[in-house]
Amino acid sequence: MKITCIGGGPAGLYFALLMKQQDPAHEITVVERNRAYDTFGWGVVFSDQTLGHLREADAPTAEAILSAFNHWDDIEVHIRGERIRSGGHGFCGIGRKRLLNILQARCEALGVRLQFETEVQDDTAFADSDLIIACDGLNSRVRTRYAAAFEPDIDLRDCRFVWLGTHKRFDAFTFAFEETPHGWFQAHAYQFDGDTSTFIVEAPEAVWRAAGLADMEKEASIAFCETLFARHLDGHPLISNATHLRGSAQWIRFPRVVCRRWVHHNGRAPVVLMGDAAHTAHFSIGSGTKLALEDAIELARCIGRAGGDLAGALRAYEAVRSVEVLKIQNAARNSTEWFENVARYVHLPAPQFAYSLLTRSQRISHENLRLRDRGYVERYEDWLAARAGLRRSPSQQPVPPMFTPFTLRGVTLANRVVVSPMAQYSCVDGLPADYHLAHLGARAMGGAGLVFAEMTCPSPDARITPGCPGLWCEAQAAGWQRIVAFVHANTGARIALQLGHAGPKGSTCVPWDGEDRPLASGNWPLIAASPQQYVAGVSDRARAMTRDDMDRVLADFVRSTRLAAQAGFDWLELHCAHGYLLSSFISPLTNQRTDGYGGSLEMRLRYPLEVFRAMREAWPPQLPMSVRISAHDWVDGGTTPDDAVAVARAFKAAGADMIDCSSGQVSQRQKPVYGRMYQTPFADRIRNEAGIATLAVGAISEADHVNSIIAAGRADLCAIGRPHLANPAWTLAEAARIGFRDVPWPRQYLAGKRQLERNLARDTAQAGP
């Protein structure tokens, strides 16, 4: 097979040598624009896992690379004069030039033809090839030529960065943060050979411009960085090897490249994207070269297995690598956004700031950190527990973050786990009875710190379905009081009530009879901020609320608030999310009013804030109140995460103690981006920008998720929904699963605790390390 690789970077060179090794009869040429043994850049980073892949693919190349690597295990974070260090991360650094030289030499030894100083405008010069690899970098001309086929999406990120070097030798991968009058700058530094380190300086575009760097010559901007990071450089200068760049051109913005397709059949030789031409991953997770080499490994493997079916091999390559790359790119996006928003996190104490940095990509979790460096994690757990008022004796276990107490106003929760409000549709005339006693009582006995009753309605016409609970009369208050009393008498949990009005989503069947379908009979009139039909052509139409409607509904909420206090609830939440009545005022998708309650976000918030303030005044001052919001409508023109921060600030000013951060369900046109913990970024942003406690919800299903979220300061509580339907004792079971024994169980269940712990310990021992 005749193969041409356009681009002599790691992807093209490595693929060429792998294919030549696979079959020496292949005629392979690598075409490179630069001179032989020329390159730009400083060091690149691999994880120990990537090195394992290289060993499997081509041992001689791996050994040559390994002999030139500088290896380290530790990461250090420097902020405000404090230094936090953690180990076990297992990284290697090598000079980019050295890496390419090794790959070039290996190619030459195997008989690959290397053609330097050749400018390639497109692939047509190689029409006689059987396969063309377009690995010509992130500004790929081949990708641009066939953009209609590859459908690239290029997202230019916010930060400016410059790639420098220094002869200061860092013995850990170092992140350093320095504040200027204009904002924060950060450095990423790591040693890659015996006397040289990479030193990347980065700052958001606005900060970079405010500091005057856009107008500085190259030498002046390097001097600026030397002065700013002087305490980290120990007198060593910073060096640029980008002699071809002038002025501020050395400061670039990172382009995130995503291609919908990686293979193009142009009627001649198939053209395949590889490396940065196909995808990029931000340098903050050090995976660009890793991805390029793993592209080469996978394509060579697919061709080797295909038995001559090249088209099938290319389909397999694209299918496998596009998924794997997407995982890395998602982690890289999280990491990129963390560094773009460092100002959001600098208020955190240094230990928590460092933990937030270490877990920023969501690929490294609390238990993953423990595997890497148990001592670091246990010291951090002790620090976090001490801030929550806990001190452990030497005989006690470190307390995982999810089992630290949390206090709002006069209420202290035993831990950070919350049973989500989950609709059960099992009331008659809004009256909670035996079903809800069993349902909520079982989950309160299951170890959670706080148990929410499902959304409860302040009037009959506020219900979603006839099976929804209410709190508009004394009989209902007595039903709730019975449940609250059971929880208080038999468990260590606190119990919360969520009050909400269904608005335009009301008067429907219970889900098992037809979700979001109007009742066959007995429907009640619907109201909303503006006229709407939630499910077009299906739902009953809601009319716009009048001022009289507003006054009546507000009074209903206040009455229910007083009844909730009478019933003994510990916590009250106002539901302003998911397209229900108050949400319909907040979202511009559902509020088209032209009076004083529509238009700007400030005006759209007026009525929900009126309701909240009236409830806060009626609710006991020593008890907390939270507000559930839809932090993102997932529809163009709807509420955005930026809006959510402003909404949170407004409710905080009105007296809210916490924001329950959900999203969506406002419009049938929504396009959510799902994934584990997918809504936690909303809680993170609101907590750290609006300065109010938050409750994270959505696809949180493991103790490791909760521990990571709480420890990083991304939220103060975590609500677990469906896992609690499957297992009312989710909290106790997760404690046993992670080996934390110092958690109270109901004394009637202690025999089960001991057996569960023994069984899990046995399973762990049998599984091995």
Side-chain angles (χ1 to χ4, degrees), residues 194 356 467 586:
S356 176
I586 298 172

Side-chain angles (χ1 to χ4, degrees), residues 44 75 131 156 388 426 520 618 627 710:
V44 296
I75 291 177
L131 176 63
L156 207 56
S426 298
V627 180
I710 301 303

Side-chain angles (χ1 to χ4, degrees), residues 192 353 384 464 529 585 590 630 769:
F192 63 84
F353 177 88
L384 204 63
I464 308 167
F585 277 84
T590 51
S630 284

Side-chain angles (χ1 to χ4, degrees), residues 360-433:
R360 67 194 180 280
S361 73
Q362 296 186 40
R363 285 173 66 86
I364 297 178
S365 68
H366 194 72
E367 291 307 315
N368 187 268
L369 278 178
R370 194 190 305 279
L371 288 173
R372 295 172 183 225
D373 189 342
R374 176 175 290 272
Y376 161 75
V377 169
E378 291 187 354
R379 289 190 300 275
Y380 182 67
E381 287 177 336
D382 285 345
W383 176 86
L384 204 63
R387 288 175 62 84
L390 299 180
R391 294 286 191 277
R392 72 177 174 103
S393 70
S395 63
Q396 291 177 311
Q397 294 177 277
V399 179
M402 68 185 282
F403 289 106
T404 56
F406 178 73
T407 299
L408 270 185
R409 296 201 183 223
V411 173
T412 296
L413 308 181
N415 60 59
R416 307 302 184 100
V417 179
V418 175
V419 176
S420 296
M422 295 176 286
Q424 299 297 293
Y425 309 107
S426 298
C427 287
V428 176
D429 295 329
L431 185 66

Side-chain angles (χ1 to χ4, degrees), residues 26-48:
H26 290 318
E27 183 183 338
I28 306 174
T29 302
V30 177
V31 183
E32 168 57 39
R33 62 185 294 187
N34 293 318
R35 294 175 298 176
Y37 301 107
D38 249 7
T39 188
F40 302 100
W42 294 94
V44 296
V45 176
F46 295 145
S47 69
D48 286 348

Side-chain angles (χ1 to χ4, degrees), residues 178 199 224-236:
E178 294 293 340
F199 199 92
F224 172 92
C225 296
E226 286 176 348
T227 301
L228 183 58
F229 291 98
R231 69 167 119 179
H232 309 285
L233 291 168
D234 297 335
H236 292 276

Side-chain angles (χ1 to χ4, degrees), residues 87-109:
H89 299 283
F91 286 104
C92 293
I94 186 172
R96 177 175 170 80
K97 184 173 183 178
R98 179 72 178 120
L99 174 64
L100 291 179
N101 291 168
I102 290 169
L103 296 177
Q104 288 163 355
R106 178 71 172 143
C107 281
E108 289 172 339

